[in-house]
Amino acid sequence: MTAELSQKHPRGLYVLFFAEMWERFSYYGMRAILLLFLIDQVNGGMGLNASEGAAIYGLYTASVYLLTLPGGWMADNILGQKKAIWYGGIIIMIGHIILAIPGGTSIFFVGLATVALGTGLLKPNISSIVGELYPEGGARRDAAFSIFYMGINLGSVLGITIVGYLGQKINWHMGFGAAAVGMLLGLIVFRYGSQKYLQGLGDVPPSKIETAETIAKSGSDRKMGYGLVALLVVFLATLQLTGTIDMTTAQGLAQGAGVIIVSVSAFYFLFILVAGGLTPEEKKRVLVLIVFFLAAALFWSGFEQAGSSLQIFAERHTQRTFGGWEMPSSWFQNFNGTFILIFAPVMASLWIFLSSKGLNPSTPVKFALGLILLGVGFFVMELAAKVAVTGELTSPIFLTLTYLFHTIGELCLSPVGLSSYTKLAPKRYVSQLMGIWFVAASLGNLIAGLFAGNFDENNVQQMPALFNQVTLFSIGFGLLLLVFWKPVKKWMGGIS
Ligand code: GLN
């Protein structure tokens, strides 16, 4: 089925697929061993306590996605997507080389910050250039994003497996360094492949293509960037000085990050609506992007619990011994990537098949389905938690089913969301709005991390109620979207 789909897609898609695969290898590989390394006291780890470690882990995952906003802005205004991807990849590689040096805490954090900066520069721009390969939009662009999504998840499965193995079994720094080799491969292919197969795409930042619109907009856009940063600094300083949050602790820093993420998104959308020089038609589309942003943030705050509460559940309450062999609990995290590799081509073909019959569900309906499936997955967890509170280990079938529901939900929402952000965003804002899409993931990751703080070993009785809350929220929002899908679709103004 993949072969059949691939024949119909431009080669450029596979160049991007390959580069993104190694970027995700870096991200998910890092994610797989970061927390373990931070709290490891005996094998050359950093020896932090669990709560500090978890806060740093949460801050890392949230800031990687938050940095996609300035990364997208840089591409729209200064670099163009191709250069942003190129420099982003180089910065990621340098970050991993620094991390490969066993040089103590400061060097480690410099390396970690470097990787996060590079990822922020690469990630949104590689997604927005995928969209540009398909100027006609439509279901084919959705299908392309499903294929691209397989690259993402191939990188994730390889990263979790290889970096996890090297880091845990051989040496932490060898694990961190592996991604430098991968990123180098991605860069080489991108360098040559993009010259040949991505000609004329992403060379010039959209804001430099002079039209009456962009000239009017460029001044306001720059002011927006500076104004936003200044406002945020004042706002955070006020919160710190009035003692509302204390950003000298890890917990406080995580709260500070939450404030930054929520206010950046709110200010950004407000500014673009009020001062972005948009036509009424474009304004309506940006309103749709806001609805999708909220739905995505909610989705990721449940989904990204794969690395937090679901990981804890796998570790403490799941039967993982098969004929004397104990499966490492982190392997459950690979179920998602594996299911994606199996089901992405199926779903991509399904959308194409349905649209050939005129039955392709509209994007808001797909988002609603994604949220409802997420809720169903958490309902399964609620059932599992009811078994776990009796003190019994639960069958691995529960987590497997949950991951299955979550993955199908993700395939309804995430590649479709990437695709529709590229379609609905005004062209001159496309990469930064792509950044905003990932800011929803940033918020989701942070909430998923903080929520897992409730999964205390002394508080096991609460688990079914906690999972129940997530079920209700996501199914509730999903149903709301199902009820209102028609007006949302109308705002999209003929784009599907
Ligand atoms: N798993 C996807 C990726 O890594 C989606 C992540 C996200 O947007 N939260 O790109």
Side-chain angles (χ1 to χ4, degrees):
M1 197 173 296
T2 328
E4 179 198 313
L5 277 173
S6 65
Q7 281 163 11
K8 298 180 210 141
H9 289 273
R11 291 260 166 85
L13 177 63
Y14 296 97
V15 174
L16 299 169
F17 176 109
F18 196 73
E20 173 69 344
M21 181 179 118
W22 290 111
E23 178 274 307
R24 291 287 91 183
F25 178 95
S26 144
Y27 174 72
Y28 284 104
M30 202 61 217
R31 217 174 89 149
I33 59 171
L34 180 59
L35 186 55
L36 299 170
F37 167 78
L38 291 171
I39 60 179
D40 167 42
Q41 314 207 340
V42 287
N43 289 317
M46 205 170 270
L48 300 179
N49 67 39
S51 66
E52 279 173 328
I56 292 171
Y57 169 88
L59 281 169
Y60 174 69
T61 52
S63 53
V64 161
Y65 285 119
L66 187 61
L67 286 166
T68 58
L69 187 56
W73 187 89
M74 293 276 288
D76 281 344
N77 290 285
I78 300 167
L79 293 171
Q81 290 130 313
K82 255 188 208 153
K83 277 199 192 126
I85 296 169
W86 174 245
Y87 290 128
I90 292 178
I91 297 172
I92 293 174
M93 190 176 73
I94 294 174
H96 282 288
I97 293 173
I98 299 174
L99 286 168
I101 306 168
T105 313
S106 323
I107 296 202
F108 176 81
F109 285 120
V110 168
L112 199 60
T114 311
V115 175
L117 279 170
T119 311
L121 197 51
L122 189 151
K123 176 87 168 142
N125 301 314
I126 201 158
S127 299
S128 64
I129 210 170
V130 169
E132 295 192 4
L133 279 171
Y134 301 84
E136 77 284 4
R140 216 165 144 256
R141 194 188 278 197
D142 291 351
F145 272 102
S146 296
I147 294 174
F148 181 67
Y149 218 71
M150 290 175 69
I152 288 178
N153 284 279
L154 195 55
S156 138
V157 171
L158 290 174
I160 294 173
T161 312
I162 297 175
V163 175
Y165 175 81
L166 290 175
Q168 279 189 277
K169 301 272 180 208
I170 301 190
N171 168 310
W172 294 119
H173 295 279
M174 192 174 275
F176 298 141
V181 180
M183 204 60 250
L184 179 66
L185 293 175
L187 278 166
I188 294 171
V189 170
F190 182 74
R191 182 83 196 175
Y192 293 104
S194 67
Q195 275 167 9
K196 199 157 174 202
Y197 300 114
L198 297 171
Q199 266 171 16
L201 296 177
D203 293 318
V204 186
S207 71
K208 298 254 162 73
I209 301 170
E210 295 215 336
T211 61
E213 250 173 358
T214 52
I215 292 166
K217 175 218 152 212
S218 68
S220 72
D221 196 32
R222 218 155 279 236
K223 269 186 229 143
M224 170 166 92
Y226 299 139
L228 192 59
V229 172
L231 263 173
L232 258 181
V233 171
V234 173
F235 189 40
L236 284 175
T238 315
L239 290 178
Q240 177 76 30
L241 293 175
T242 55
T244 317
I245 48 180
D246 176 9
M247 280 173 279
T248 56
T249 65
Q251 180 77 5
L253 256 187
Q255 287 169 349
V259 170
I260 293 179
I261 296 169
V262 172
S263 25
V264 162
S265 335
F267 282 133
Y268 181 86
F269 277 125
L270 255 178
F271 199 101
I272 199 174
L273 281 173
V274 175
L278 304 183
T279 65
E281 201 54 37
E282 288 175 331
K283 277 192 185 152
K284 278 194 203 141
R285 290 187 191 154
V286 169
L287 288 176
V288 176
L289 294 181
I290 296 178
V291 173
F292 290 171
F293 174 89
L294 293 174
L298 185 63
F299 182 84
W300 296 123
S301 60
F303 180 89
E304 296 289 0
Q305 287 181 42
S308 60
S309 70
L310 297 186
Q311 170 61 36
I312 294 174
F313 195 89
E315 170 72 24
R316 293 187 194 148
H317 307 292
T318 304
Q319 155 64 31
R320 291 180 280 115
T321 311
F322 308 99
W325 172 76
E326 189 181 58
M327 179 175 122
S329 59
S330 59
W331 280 24
F332 276 101
Q333 290 194 45
N334 253 339
F335 283 26
N336 168 243
T338 312
F339 282 144
I340 292 267
L341 294 176
I342 299 170
F343 290 107
V346 178
M347 298 291 280
S349 312
L350 181 70
W351 303 143
I352 290 196
F353 171 76
L354 287 175
S355 67
S356 73
K357 302 255 173 261
L359 291 173
N360 194 17
S362 72
T363 309
V365 172
K366 287 181 185 162
F367 265 66
L369 285 176
L371 282 165
I372 292 169
L373 285 165
L374 178 80
V376 174
F378 273 103
F379 177 68
V380 173
M381 285 319 293
E382 188 183 335
L383 300 181
K386 283 189 176 145
V387 176
V389 291
T390 65
E392 261 182 65
L393 285 180
T394 66
S395 158
I397 293 177
F398 286 108
L399 269 176
T400 310
L401 269 179
T402 295
Y403 274 115
L404 185 61
F405 283 119
H406 283 188
T407 305
I408 306 285
E410 183 188 6
L411 282 170
C412 290
L413 183 140
S414 185
V416 176
L418 284 169
S419 182
S420 54
Y421 257 65
T422 65
K423 291 178 198 166
L424 291 165
K427 175 113 173 90
R428 55 206 186 278
Y429 290 108
V430 67
S431 290
Q432 48 198 290
L433 276 164
M434 207 66 244
I436 279 280
W437 165 256
F438 289 115
V439 173
S442 171
L443 187 57
N445 269 289
L446 199 71
I447 297 175
L450 292 175
F451 189 78
N454 295 314
F455 284 72
D456 195 272
E457 232 161 338
N458 307 318
N459 224 345
V460 173
Q461 296 301 329
Q462 262 197 0
M463 268 190 320
L466 288 169
F467 285 132
N468 179 264
Q469 274 176 19
V470 192
T471 308
L472 292 182
F473 263 102
S474 35
I475 295 192
F477 197 100
L479 290 178
L480 203 70
L481 252 183
L482 264 191
V483 173
F484 289 107
W485 76 270
K486 275 201 174 140
V488 176
K489 170 134 180 61
K490 216 162 148 202
W491 285 348
M492 289 168 73
I495 291 179
S496 65

